[in-house]
Amino acid sequence: MARSETQVGIVGAGPAGLMLSHLLHLHGISSIVLEARSRAYCEERVRAGVLEHTSVELLRNAGLSERLNREGLQHHGIDIGVDGIRHNISFLELTGKCVTVYGQQEVVNDLIARRFADNGDLRFECGDVTLHDIEGPQPLIRTNKNGNFDEIRCDYIAGCDGFHGISRFAVPAGALTVYERNYPFAWLGILAEASPSRDELLYMHHDRGFALYSMRSTRITRLYLQCAPNENIDSWSDDRIWNELRIRLGCTDGWLPAEGPILQKSVTGMRSFVVEPLQYGCLFLAGDAAHIVPPTGAKGMNLAFADVYYLSEALDAHYRQNSDEQLRQYSSKCLARIWKAQRFSWWMTSMLHRFHDESGFDHKRQLAELSYVTTSRAAATSLAENYVGLPLYT
């Protein structure tokens, strides 16, 4: 059995785990990142990529923005469409801030490259990973790849391994409270080789279901259609997808999305999920291991960055100042932000998607809400403040 020691063992090489490792490095704190998947899988997995103003600030302050500054697509607002008419919500005018479209896989690529450049200890394809003695005072992580065992002793473990990871399940039954909501629809998402044909994201409310027009780069667009949770992706030919997008996204002024070869398509379920607390003994949960938000509010990766920022600051206070107060406050501080993001994501989702509503009450309520948001500066400002990101450095 190979043995290692470090101050913080990090499970998961997604945005949360990699960012935490980098922030700890900046504080002079050692870490080892363990990932069951291959490096190529982590670098190539396509996920959402809307970065809040606060996340962009964090990346720049951490010295990770060189490619982001060059390739990120800055957006000054969003458009909300109702009955084929677009209404612009100007983040820049309402808040003085904006968001940046930069794919999650690009963030992961930047972080992996930087951690290796800084001689970081990243271990991919670790096989089975298990957590032990997480109550303290010195937990350990074991890996087993084809009978080859590794053991890593550490002071703390950060569970950054996603919703389906092993970290949350290492906590004894009953120690965590789960809050969850599953939505009666999903998103059929595509990546298309088509240059963006508009400057802002378009969130479209339509009688046939919600649709979203977004982009990933100057040559790739990302589009979504509301569909059933059990939708059979094989029943959606490319022609059927583009026809439905033309119907739902079509505007009264004649605008239609630019079309091109579909590079990828998938169906993503919609759920809200939070566990409390985010700490058990020496284990701290962060990112999707602790919470999931519906993608309508573009909060997933941004919440993960906030979690690990607070955790890195708490660990710095522990090692540098011999103070554990921030570690004790980690869960409550993160949860205050998480629940505000959950509220906003639920609100955006419930406002824009069509629900099965035989009485028609919810549909009429949605239309009234959309009218209010698109005509009231106060309502638009509330949307803008939440979308660009609530203050991180508090």
Side-chain angles (χ1 to χ4, degrees):
M1 179 180 287
R3 289 182 171 86
S4 308
E5 290 188 3
T6 191
Q7 290 170 298
V8 182
I10 301 173
V11 185
L18 293 166
M19 177 63 87
L20 177 60
S21 181
H22 177 68
L23 294 174
L24 293 176
H25 169 73
L26 296 180
H27 286 305
I29 299 170
S30 66
S31 67
I32 295 174
V33 179
L34 303 169
E35 170 58 51
R37 303 277 193 170
S38 69
R39 176 178 178 178
Y41 176 89
C42 296
E43 290 179 333
E44 295 169 8
R45 187 185 184 197
V46 176
R47 299 289 296 276
V50 177
L51 293 173
E52 296 176 347
H53 171 83
T54 48
S55 294
V56 172
E57 273 193 327
L58 179 63
L59 288 163
R60 286 176 176 158
N61 291 340
L64 294 164
S65 63
E66 180 181 352
R67 200 158 67 94
L68 166 66
N69 292 337
R70 186 172 65 248
E71 300 178 15
L73 304 178
Q74 196 173 83
H75 288 265
H76 297 158
I78 60 171
D79 288 335
I80 294 179
V82 187
D83 294 329
I85 300 173
R86 296 192 307 273
H87 306 267
N88 184 252
I89 308 293
S90 174
F91 300 158
L92 199 60
E93 177 186 344
L94 295 167
T95 70
K97 300 173 183 177
C98 57
V99 297
T100 301
V101 172
Y102 189 65
Q104 178 172 306
Q105 77 275 14
E106 306 302 339
V107 175
V108 167
N109 273 268
D110 294 344
L111 282 162
I112 289 175
R114 182 59 181 271
R115 292 306 296 125
F116 278 129
D118 291 336
N119 297 314
D121 195 339
L122 308 185
R123 305 182 186 183
F124 295 96
E125 299 181 82
C126 289
D128 294 330
V129 179
T130 54
L131 309 184
H132 304 269
D133 303 329
I134 60 175
E135 293 85 359
Q138 192 174 41
L140 62 89
I141 307 171
R142 289 199 180 105
T143 68
N144 175 7
K145 184 178 181 182
N146 301 324
N148 295 314
F149 295 88
D150 285 340
E151 182 176 282
I152 298 96
R153 287 208 169 269
C154 46
D155 300 329
Y156 297 100
I157 297 175
C160 304
D161 50 344
F163 181 77
H164 298 289
I166 57 97
S167 295
R168 188 174 69 254
F169 298 99
V171 178
L176 300 177
T177 301
V178 175
Y179 300 90
E180 188 169 17
R181 167 170 290 184
N182 291 306
Y183 295 85
F185 41 73
W187 276 10
L188 190 160
I190 68 164
L191 275 179
E193 190 173 347
S195 297
S197 53
R198 57 180 305 100
D199 295 329
E200 306 291 13
L201 279 67
L202 172 59
Y203 289 76
M204 183 68 80
H205 179 275
H206 195 278
D207 285 345
R208 295 170 67 97
F210 168 75
L212 171 61
Y213 177 87
S214 65
M215 57 289 292
R216 286 294 171 266
S217 71
T218 55
R219 65 178 189 86
I220 301 294
T221 49
R222 182 74 157 156
L223 304 101
Y224 298 94
L225 292 166
Q226 178 182 343
C227 64
N230 59 349
E231 198 75 45
N232 179 8
I233 193 69
D234 293 331
S235 70
W236 285 84
S237 67
D238 291 5
D239 286 344
R240 182 186 176 191
I241 290 172
W242 283 119
N243 182 62
E244 192 66 23
L245 285 167
R246 286 192 293 269
I247 293 171
R248 297 195 199 179
L249 290 172
C251 294
T252 54
D253 63 1
W255 178 84
L256 288 170
E259 300 180 21
I262 293 178
L263 307 176
Q264 182 188 90
K265 51 186 170 182
S266 60
V267 173
T268 302
M270 304 276 280
R271 67 159 62 91
S272 299
F273 174 88
V274 182
V275 296
E276 294 187 10
L278 275 59
Q279 177 188 2
Y280 179 82
C282 295
L283 171 65
F284 294 84
L285 300 175
D288 286 0
H291 45 76
I292 297 287
V293 290
T296 325
K299 293 299 170 200
M301 180 165 56
N302 297 292
L303 275 181
F305 280 172
D307 291 347
V308 298
Y309 168 75
Y310 294 138
L311 184 53
S312 68
E313 292 295 299
L315 289 166
D316 181 56
H318 167 77
Y319 287 112
R320 191 186 302 270
Q321 303 170 20
N322 198 29
S323 171
D324 288 343
E325 184 60 25
Q326 289 189 53
L327 284 174
R328 287 190 289 269
Q329 294 178 355
Y330 167 73
S331 183
S332 60
K333 191 165 191 176
C334 288
L335 285 166
R337 186 183 184 88
I338 289 163
W339 279 112
K340 288 175 183 175
Q342 287 286 6
R343 182 212 66 82
F344 176 68
S345 299
W346 165 85
W347 175 75
M348 287 280 285
T349 301
S350 63
M351 177 175 65
L352 291 163
H353 291 75
R354 285 305 309 269
F355 290 79
H356 179 66
D357 174 28
E358 293 181 357
S359 71
F361 179 90
D362 278 339
H363 186 216
K364 290 293 188 180
R365 176 195 56 78
Q366 284 178 314
L367 294 176
E369 185 79 16
L370 287 161
S371 176
Y372 180 52
V373 167
T374 55
T375 58
S376 164
R377 185 178 180 89
T381 300
S382 175
L383 187 158
E385 285 179 344
N386 282 272
Y387 203 105
V388 302
L390 301 174
L392 179 64
Y393 305 105
T394 58

